[in-house]
Amino acid sequence: MTESAIFQPSDHPLTIALLVLPQASILEVASALDPLRNANRQLGHEAYRWRVVSPDGAPVPLTCGIELPSSGSLAHAAGADALIVIAGYRLAEVATRPLIRDLRRIAPRFQLVGGIDAAPWVLARAGLLDGHRATVHWEDLEDLAAAHPEIDVVPDRFVIDRNRVTIAGAAPAADFMLHLIRARHGGAVARQVAMSFLTQARPGYEPQTAPNQPDPALDPRVAAALARMEAQIDTPETAAKTARAVGLSPRRLETLFREALGTTPAAHALDLRLQAARRMLTDTKHPLAEVALRTGFSSPSTLSRAFRARFSQPPGTLRR
C-alpha cells in the first residue's frame, strides 16, 4: 500500500501529537518519543516536534502509577501532521463515546493517524481502520479480527497502510519511529539513533511473537516446549506429549524446566492459560464460558476452581 507523504525525505519539521489514554504504558510513550528526541540530537536541529494530549487535558495516570503531564485536550492536537493514540488497559472505561466521536471528527485533519498497543481498538471503534490492513497487540489479534471483519488484521509488528499506522506495542513503536526517521532523513541517521539505544530496527512485517533469534538463556528444547505451550492455549497437551515432541523424556524436560524457570512443564502451561483467562476477564466482555473454552478449560466451573487457586479470588471479582 502507498504510504503517507510524511514518509518522504524532507527537512521540514514534523509535528506529532500523542493522544495518551489512561492506563497506557510509560514504555510505549518513551518508545514513541525518545527516538524523535534522539534524531533531533543527531541532526543538530529540530526536525521532529511533539505534543502530548489527553482526552480531557488533565494529566494521564499510567500503568506504573506515574501521571504523565498533558499539554491539553484532544482539540490541542489540531495543527500537528500526525496523530498517534496510545492505549493500554481498561478500554471499556477510557475509550468513551465522546472520545470516539471526537476522534472520528478530528482524524481528517492529519496526514497520518495511528495507534499503539490497544489503540487500534479505539481507531476501529471510530471507523478509522475500515478497509485497511492493521495490527494490534498479539493478545488482541483474534478478537479485533472477529469484532471488525472490515479490517484486514495481520500479526505484524507494525503496519502502514496509506494514512493509517497501527503498532503492536512498545518495541514495535521504536521500530516504527526508526522507520519514519530513515524515510525522512536516511538510513545513517536511523542507525545512529538505534545505536544510541543499543538496539537495531526490526521491519514492520515481522511477526510479533517469533523473534529472530532464540533466547540464549534457554535450552533450545525448553524454548521449543514453551513455544508449543504458548501456541496451544485453547487446546493444551499433556506434559508427556510436549516432552515427546521436543525429543525428551518427561522427567528430563521437567528437570530442564526446573533449572531454567523454577517450575514444572505442567505448572507453567497451566499458568499460561490462567494468565490468558485473566487478561480476557479484565480486557474483554467475553462470557465466562467463552473464556474457559478459549483457555482450554472443560467448563466455567473448572476454570473458576483453578483461577481461585492461582489468584485467591474467583473470576467474577475482576469484573465487579
Side-chain angles (χ1 to χ4, degrees):
M1 297 290 184
T2 304
E3 294 183 345
S4 164
I6 73 167
F7 296 99
Q8 298 299 316
S10 175
D11 290 325
H12 182 76
L14 182 76
T15 301
I16 295 178
L18 287 185
L19 171 62
V20 184
L21 302 190
Q23 298 306 306
S25 163
I26 193 172
L27 186 58
E28 287 156 359
V29 177
S31 295
L33 292 183
D34 255 6
L36 304 179
R37 186 268 313 163
N38 192 277
N40 286 346
R41 178 174 177 269
Q42 301 293 343
L43 291 164
H45 62 89
E46 193 179 51
Y48 298 94
R49 300 169 180 168
W50 53 86
R51 63 188 73 151
V52 175
V53 300
S54 63
D56 58 2
V60 185
L62 303 177
T63 53
C64 62
I66 292 174
E67 287 197 339
L68 182 71
S70 166
S71 61
S73 67
L74 178 57
H76 192 68
D81 301 294
L83 173 67
I84 297 181
V85 185
I86 302 180
Y89 296 102
R90 293 163 56 179
L91 281 186
E93 298 175 29
V94 302
T96 63
R97 288 186 178 180
L99 176 64
I100 297 299
R101 179 198 62 218
D102 291 345
L103 271 174
R104 188 182 297 119
R105 175 181 52 80
I106 201 172
R109 303 182 187 181
F110 303 96
Q111 296 182 53
L112 182 75
V113 175
I116 298 174
D117 197 345
W121 272 108
V122 182
L123 302 184
R125 292 174 186 174
L128 299 177
L129 297 180
D130 291 0
H132 289 77
R133 292 179 74 250
T135 192
V136 70
H137 191 279
W138 63 267
E139 294 173 354
D140 293 332
L141 283 166
E142 184 177 334
D143 286 337
L144 183 66
H148 295 278
E150 66 279 7
I151 302 172
D152 180 12
V153 179
V154 295
D156 297 7
R157 292 175 67 80
F158 66 86
V159 175
I160 303 168
D161 186 351
R162 290 160 285 173
N163 62 345
R164 297 288 184 265
V165 59
T166 46
I167 303 166
D175 294 333
F176 166 74
M177 291 303 173
L178 289 169
H179 174 86
L180 175 64
I181 293 164
R182 181 184 299 107
R184 292 180 68 84
H185 293 100
V189 174
R191 177 176 171 78
Q192 289 169 350
V193 173
M195 289 179 64
S196 72
F197 293 114
L198 304 181
T199 189
Q200 59 184 11
R202 292 173 60 181
Y205 59 76
E206 283 193 1
Q208 298 173 34
T209 56
N212 287 331
Q213 297 179 345
D215 186 341
L218 290 178
D219 182 293
R221 295 163 295 184
V222 172
L226 288 172
R228 289 182 67 86
M229 294 173 185
E230 292 162 359
Q232 298 177 163
I233 295 292
D234 57 341
T235 55
E237 62 186 12
T238 64
K241 186 173 181 180
T242 302
R244 288 195 300 271
V246 299
L248 295 172
S249 69
R251 177 171 294 186
R252 180 57 179 158
L253 182 62
E254 181 168 333
T255 299
L256 292 175
F257 258 69
R258 287 190 183 278
E259 291 174 352
L261 303 173
T263 187
T264 66
H268 184 77
L270 176 60
D271 199 57
L272 285 174
R273 294 161 57 208
L274 288 170
Q275 292 289 358
R278 188 181 191 183
R279 288 194 298 270
M280 290 184 197
L281 289 166
T282 57
D283 298 346
T284 77
K285 296 182 179 180
H286 296 325
L288 186 60
E290 184 173 350
V291 174
L293 179 66
R294 294 176 64 167
T295 52
F297 291 93
S298 58
S299 67
S301 60
T302 304
L303 169 59
S304 294
R305 286 193 296 271
F307 196 93
R308 186 188 290 269
R310 172 64 175 82
F311 299 113
S312 302
Q313 61 180 336
T317 301
L318 295 180
R319 289 190 163 169
R320 297 195 193 106

